[in-house]
Amino acid sequence: MCIRDRYMGMRKMSLWILLLLLTSTVLSQTLSKMKVMSPKTLSTNFPNGIEFNIGNFGKVPYGKSLLGKLYLADPIDGCQPLTPIFHKESDPSNKKKNTAPFVLVERGGCDFVTKTHYAEIIGAKMVIVINYENQPSIVMGDDGLGNTLGIPSIIISYADGKQLKEKLNSKVPEEQTVTLLVKFDMPQNLNVEYMLWISSTHQSAYTFLERFRKFHNLFEGAIKIQPHYVLWYCYHCKFEGWNDQSNPNCISGGRYCAPDPDDSGPASGRQVVMEDLRQMCIFEKYPALWWDYMEGFGNTCLDEFQTTCYKRVLEAVGISNDVIEQCIKESFKGELVRSDNDKLEKERELFKNMNIPFWPALIINQVTYRGNLEDPEEVFDAICASFTKAPEICELYYNPADPSLWHYLSLVLIAVAVFGVFLYMIVIIYKKRLRKELSKQMESHITTAVSQYVAMKDMPATNEGL
């Protein structure tokens, strides 16, 4: 088998592995648990709640809770338009408890986004998927249309789902009302750090960074980003002592590889890995300008990995190419490109140890963000929910001061000021008139007193000589 054929087989296998990871990656960590509020006969079976995993699509209300009454989907797999199984006006339990309708579906028959789509059409506020029997929990993947959904979805175990179904199908009316409380919590810290796992070929990663940048800046240093890069390795090269330098999609003898970005085109996976390394050096040497570079590279160079397009972007944003090239050179343990690389070695180990389930992936306070990366406001909400005490901007962004209120207050202040000036003028005028009046009265009294004194002096003395 020639090298090219061997590589094509390896690349096809990698694509299948990628697809598998996107749709059914096993995770040991769940963000929270779902509490059974009623009926009591069911809640006693789950004193610690029901574990779930959140789907990686739709709108996840991080930092909030949903209280909902559960309904069974018809058809149960949720793969066709659902029968309207509830109506807010005709369901008194919703009015009394202010609950949102949840829809319970079974896994299989179609993708998870389709199930959620049909449930949202009939007014569901959340979808609960029952997993296959004897299957570990998975990450429900996006089919590419998940950004159009406005509700979250979660998946629970077969055993837990079976108990919920039994209650919904109960012949006792009181037992049929299943109410659930779901909290979408995030682990909280005084300061928030988030990782972004990407490859330099990911258009969606560049789009996210461009849209989220203004939100990142709103926190004014209260949050920190750390980019990381997804890396593969050549499996058979490991057994050949990492000496295969012929693979066009790998460097360092096959230790670090990337899929060919344009198949039979001029670019190669090796150039992708080198761009990953370049971006790592840019963030290390110029963290503030890294944002500018990523925006410029994403807009102009994704189709030009084989060219020196990156140099034009470096120059445009004010980054020294010499500094970056030196950083790349020093990261290799020996000969450039052929020897092992310190930075990439650490990156691949971290990727493996963290068990990153999909990419681009956002990790906030060590928890994988689930939901729509295309909407920066949803990520903003998740980050705000990750603070022990959320910064003021988290409140001000959604509740800015009402301009009409400021206008009203301004008018009031102006009116008060005018009224104050008016009172002041009245007081001044009054004082002047009072002073003038007093002056006249004093003048009158003095004139009278003087006149009387003169008159007394001019009177003849009647007792003269006595």
Side-chain angles (χ1 to χ4, degrees), residues 229-244:
Y229 293 83
V230 177
L231 296 166
W232 290 265
Y233 69 91
C234 169
Y235 184 75
H236 76 270
C237 297
K238 178 179 180 181
F239 299 99
E240 296 176 3
W242 305 114
N243 291 318
D244 185 358

PDB file of all heavy atoms in Angstrom, residues 229-244:
ATOM      1  N   TYR A 229      -5.733  24.082  21.101  1.00  0.00           N
ATOM      2  CA  TYR A 229      -5.872  23.587  19.726  1.00  0.00           C
ATOM      3  C   TYR A 229      -5.950  22.060  19.690  1.00  0.00           C
ATOM      4  O   TYR A 229      -5.185  21.369  20.361  1.00  0.00           O
ATOM      5  CB  TYR A 229      -4.712  24.113  18.878  1.00  0.00           C
ATOM      6  CG  TYR A 229      -4.802  25.612  18.700  1.00  0.00           C
ATOM      7  CD1 TYR A 229      -4.322  26.482  19.674  1.00  0.00           C
ATOM      8  CD2 TYR A 229      -5.430  26.155  17.587  1.00  0.00           C
ATOM      9  CE1 TYR A 229      -4.442  27.857  19.538  1.00  0.00           C
ATOM     10  CE2 TYR A 229      -5.560  27.523  17.439  1.00  0.00           C
ATOM     11  CZ  TYR A 229      -5.061  28.373  18.419  1.00  0.00           C
ATOM     12  OH  TYR A 229      -5.206  29.736  18.292  1.00  0.00           O
ATOM     13  N   VAL A 230      -6.904  21.600  18.887  1.00  0.00           N
ATOM     14  CA  VAL A 230      -7.166  20.167  18.748  1.00  0.00           C
ATOM     15  C   VAL A 230      -6.109  19.544  17.852  1.00  0.00           C
ATOM     16  O   VAL A 230      -5.854  20.028  16.748  1.00  0.00           O
ATOM     17  CB  VAL A 230      -8.571  19.952  18.152  1.00  0.00           C
ATOM     18  CG1 VAL A 230      -8.833  18.468  17.940  1.00  0.00           C
ATOM     19  CG2 VAL A 230      -9.633  20.574  19.047  1.00  0.00           C
ATOM     20  N   LEU A 231      -5.504  18.444  18.316  1.00  0.00           N
ATOM     21  CA  LEU A 231      -4.436  17.772  17.563  1.00  0.00           C
ATOM     22  C   LEU A 231      -4.679  16.271  17.501  1.00  0.00           C
ATOM     23  O   LEU A 231      -5.176  15.665  18.452  1.00  0.00           O
ATOM     24  CB  LEU A 231      -3.073  18.033  18.227  1.00  0.00           C
ATOM     25  CG  LEU A 231      -2.601  19.491  18.256  1.00  0.00           C
ATOM     26  CD1 LEU A 231      -1.438  19.632  19.216  1.00  0.00           C
ATOM     27  CD2 LEU A 231      -2.214  19.961  16.863  1.00  0.00           C
ATOM     28  N   TRP A 232      -4.325  15.668  16.373  1.00  0.00           N
ATOM     29  CA  TRP A 232      -4.354  14.227  16.215  1.00  0.00           C
ATOM     30  C   TRP A 232      -2.915  13.710  16.104  1.00  0.00           C
ATOM     31  O   TRP A 232      -1.964  14.506  16.080  1.00  0.00           O
ATOM     32  CB  TRP A 232      -5.125  13.839  14.950  1.00  0.00           C
ATOM     33  CG  TRP A 232      -6.591  14.084  15.031  1.00  0.00           C
ATOM     34  CD1 TRP A 232      -7.564  13.204  15.373  1.00  0.00           C
ATOM     35  CD2 TRP A 232      -7.266  15.324  14.735  1.00  0.00           C
ATOM     36  NE1 TRP A 232      -8.805  13.802  15.324  1.00  0.00           N
ATOM     37  CE2 TRP A 232      -8.650  15.103  14.946  1.00  0.00           C
ATOM     38  CE3 TRP A 232      -6.846  16.595  14.337  1.00  0.00           C
ATOM     39  CZ2 TRP A 232      -9.609  16.093  14.758  1.00  0.00           C
ATOM     40  CZ3 TRP A 232      -7.801  17.592  14.159  1.00  0.00           C
ATOM     41  CH2 TRP A 232      -9.151  17.332  14.368  1.00  0.00           C
ATOM     42  N   TYR A 233      -2.775  12.408  16.007  1.00  0.00           N
ATOM     43  CA  TYR A 233      -1.462  11.847  15.708  1.00  0.00           C
ATOM     44  C   TYR A 233      -1.627  10.654  14.785  1.00  0.00           C
ATOM     45  O   TYR A 233      -2.711  10.065  14.660  1.00  0.00           O
ATOM     46  CB  TYR A 233      -0.719  11.457  16.982  1.00  0.00           C
ATOM     47  CG  TYR A 233      -1.296  10.270  17.729  1.00  0.00           C
ATOM     48  CD1 TYR A 233      -0.851   8.975  17.472  1.00  0.00           C
ATOM     49  CD2 TYR A 233      -2.263  10.449  18.713  1.00  0.00           C
ATOM     50  CE1 TYR A 233      -1.366   7.890  18.157  1.00  0.00           C
ATOM     51  CE2 TYR A 233      -2.783   9.377  19.400  1.00  0.00           C
ATOM     52  CZ  TYR A 233      -2.339   8.093  19.125  1.00  0.00           C
ATOM     53  OH  TYR A 233      -2.864   7.028  19.797  1.00  0.00           O
ATOM     54  N   CYS A 234      -0.550  10.319  14.112  1.00  0.00           N
ATOM     55  CA  CYS A 234      -0.533   9.197  13.170  1.00  0.00           C
ATOM     56  C   CYS A 234      -0.334   7.904  13.966  1.00  0.00           C
ATOM     57  O   CYS A 234       0.724   7.697  14.562  1.00  0.00           O
ATOM     58  CB  CYS A 234       0.584   9.405  12.154  1.00  0.00           C
ATOM     59  SG  CYS A 234       0.931   7.976  11.121  1.00  0.00           S
ATOM     60  N   TYR A 235      -1.369   7.052  13.961  1.00  0.00           N
ATOM     61  CA  TYR A 235      -1.343   5.866  14.828  1.00  0.00           C
ATOM     62  C   TYR A 235      -0.197   4.925  14.480  1.00  0.00           C
ATOM     63  O   TYR A 235       0.564   4.508  15.357  1.00  0.00           O
ATOM     64  CB  TYR A 235      -2.680   5.123  14.721  1.00  0.00           C
ATOM     65  CG  TYR A 235      -2.780   3.933  15.641  1.00  0.00           C
ATOM     66  CD1 TYR A 235      -2.985   4.101  17.000  1.00  0.00           C
ATOM     67  CD2 TYR A 235      -2.680   2.630  15.136  1.00  0.00           C
ATOM     68  CE1 TYR A 235      -3.083   3.004  17.841  1.00  0.00           C
ATOM     69  CE2 TYR A 235      -2.779   1.537  15.967  1.00  0.00           C
ATOM     70  CZ  TYR A 235      -2.983   1.728  17.322  1.00  0.00           C
ATOM     71  OH  TYR A 235      -3.065   0.643  18.149  1.00  0.00           O
ATOM     72  N   HIS A 236      -0.036   4.615  13.193  1.00  0.00           N
ATOM     73  CA  HIS A 236       1.009   3.646  12.838  1.00  0.00           C
ATOM     74  C   HIS A 236       2.409   4.240  13.008  1.00  0.00           C
ATOM     75  O   HIS A 236       3.388   3.513  13.206  1.00  0.00           O
ATOM     76  CB  HIS A 236       0.810   3.157  11.395  1.00  0.00           C
ATOM     77  CG  HIS A 236       1.238   4.140  10.363  1.00  0.00           C
ATOM     78  ND1 HIS A 236       0.383   5.085   9.837  1.00  0.00           N
ATOM     79  CD2 HIS A 236       2.445   4.347   9.746  1.00  0.00           C
ATOM     80  CE1 HIS A 236       1.031   5.812   8.954  1.00  0.00           C
ATOM     81  NE2 HIS A 236       2.285   5.393   8.871  1.00  0.00           N
ATOM     82  N   CYS A 237       2.502   5.595  12.956  1.00  0.00           N
ATOM     83  CA  CYS A 237       3.811   6.238  13.114  1.00  0.00           C
ATOM     84  C   CYS A 237       4.383   6.011  14.512  1.00  0.00           C
ATOM     85  O   CYS A 237       5.599   6.001  14.712  1.00  0.00           O
ATOM     86  CB  CYS A 237       3.709   7.736  12.840  1.00  0.00           C
ATOM     87  SG  CYS A 237       3.212   8.129  11.145  1.00  0.00           S
ATOM     88  N   LYS A 238       3.486   5.862  15.469  1.00  0.00           N
ATOM     89  CA  LYS A 238       3.925   5.618  16.846  1.00  0.00           C
ATOM     90  C   LYS A 238       4.743   4.340  16.936  1.00  0.00           C
ATOM     91  O   LYS A 238       5.760   4.282  17.642  1.00  0.00           O
ATOM     92  CB  LYS A 238       2.698   5.546  17.755  1.00  0.00           C
ATOM     93  CG  LYS A 238       2.998   5.248  19.218  1.00  0.00           C
ATOM     94  CD  LYS A 238       1.702   5.220  20.027  1.00  0.00           C
ATOM     95  CE  LYS A 238       1.986   4.926  21.488  1.00  0.00           C
ATOM     96  NZ  LYS A 238       0.734   4.876  22.296  1.00  0.00           N
ATOM     97  N   PHE A 239       4.316   3.319  16.206  1.00  0.00           N
ATOM     98  CA  PHE A 239       5.005   2.027  16.256  1.00  0.00           C
ATOM     99  C   PHE A 239       6.241   2.003  15.352  1.00  0.00           C
ATOM    100  O   PHE A 239       7.025   1.056  15.394  1.00  0.00           O
ATOM    101  CB  PHE A 239       4.034   0.914  15.861  1.00  0.00           C
ATOM    102  CG  PHE A 239       2.846   0.817  16.783  1.00  0.00           C
ATOM    103  CD1 PHE A 239       1.628   1.382  16.433  1.00  0.00           C
ATOM    104  CD2 PHE A 239       2.953   0.186  18.013  1.00  0.00           C
ATOM    105  CE1 PHE A 239       0.543   1.309  17.273  1.00  0.00           C
ATOM    106  CE2 PHE A 239       1.864   0.094  18.868  1.00  0.00           C
ATOM    107  CZ  PHE A 239       0.656   0.655  18.511  1.00  0.00           C
ATOM    108  N   GLU A 240       6.396   3.033  14.553  1.00  0.00           N
ATOM    109  CA  GLU A 240       7.574   3.138  13.702  1.00  0.00           C
ATOM    110  C   GLU A 240       8.599   4.107  14.279  1.00  0.00           C
ATOM    111  O   GLU A 240       9.522   4.539  13.593  1.00  0.00           O
ATOM    112  CB  GLU A 240       7.162   3.572  12.290  1.00  0.00           C
ATOM    113  CG  GLU A 240       6.273   2.545  11.587  1.00  0.00           C
ATOM    114  CD  GLU A 240       5.799   3.031  10.222  1.00  0.00           C
ATOM    115  OE1 GLU A 240       6.215   4.132   9.809  1.00  0.00           O
ATOM    116  OE2 GLU A 240       5.027   2.305   9.568  1.00  0.00           O
ATOM    117  N   GLY A 241       8.392   4.462  15.578  1.00  0.00           N
ATOM    118  CA  GLY A 241       9.348   5.309  16.270  1.00  0.00           C
ATOM    119  C   GLY A 241       9.273   6.773  15.899  1.00  0.00           C
ATOM    120  O   GLY A 241      10.248   7.510  16.040  1.00  0.00           O
ATOM    121  N   TRP A 242       8.126   7.204  15.409  1.00  0.00           N
ATOM    122  CA  TRP A 242       7.923   8.595  15.008  1.00  0.00           C
ATOM    123  C   TRP A 242       8.974   9.054  13.991  1.00  0.00           C
ATOM    124  O   TRP A 242       9.508  10.151  14.066  1.00  0.00           O
ATOM    125  CB  TRP A 242       7.946   9.540  16.209  1.00  0.00           C
ATOM    126  CG  TRP A 242       6.978   9.219  17.313  1.00  0.00           C
ATOM    127  CD1 TRP A 242       7.291   8.834  18.572  1.00  0.00           C
ATOM    128  CD2 TRP A 242       5.540   9.260  17.240  1.00  0.00           C
ATOM    129  NE1 TRP A 242       6.154   8.628  19.312  1.00  0.00           N
ATOM    130  CE2 TRP A 242       5.058   8.889  18.517  1.00  0.00           C
ATOM    131  CE3 TRP A 242       4.620   9.578  16.244  1.00  0.00           C
ATOM    132  CZ2 TRP A 242       3.705   8.810  18.806  1.00  0.00           C
ATOM    133  CZ3 TRP A 242       3.262   9.504  16.548  1.00  0.00           C
ATOM    134  CH2 TRP A 242       2.819   9.130  17.805  1.00  0.00           C
ATOM    135  N   ASN A 243       9.242   8.199  13.045  1.00  0.00           N
ATOM    136  CA  ASN A 243      10.265   8.511  12.036  1.00  0.00           C
ATOM    137  C   ASN A 243       9.694   8.757  10.645  1.00  0.00           C
ATOM    138  O   ASN A 243      10.443   8.977   9.700  1.00  0.00           O
ATOM    139  CB  ASN A 243      11.289   7.368  11.958  1.00  0.00           C
ATOM    140  CG  ASN A 243      12.143   7.284  13.208  1.00  0.00           C
ATOM    141  OD1 ASN A 243      12.569   8.311  13.732  1.00  0.00           O
ATOM    142  ND2 ASN A 243      12.372   6.063  13.699  1.00  0.00           N
ATOM    143  N   ASP A 244       8.357   8.700  10.520  1.00  0.00           N
ATOM    144  CA  ASP A 244       7.745   8.892   9.206  1.00  0.00           C
ATOM    145  C   ASP A 244       7.566  10.394   8.944  1.00  0.00           C
ATOM    146  O   ASP A 244       6.660  11.029   9.471  1.00  0.00           O
ATOM    147  CB  ASP A 244       6.399   8.181   9.152  1.00  0.00           C
ATOM    148  CG  ASP A 244       5.764   8.253   7.762  1.00  0.00           C
ATOM    149  OD1 ASP A 244       6.359   8.881   6.868  1.00  0.00           O
ATOM    150  OD2 ASP A 244       4.673   7.667   7.591  1.00  0.00           O
TER     151      ASP A 244
END
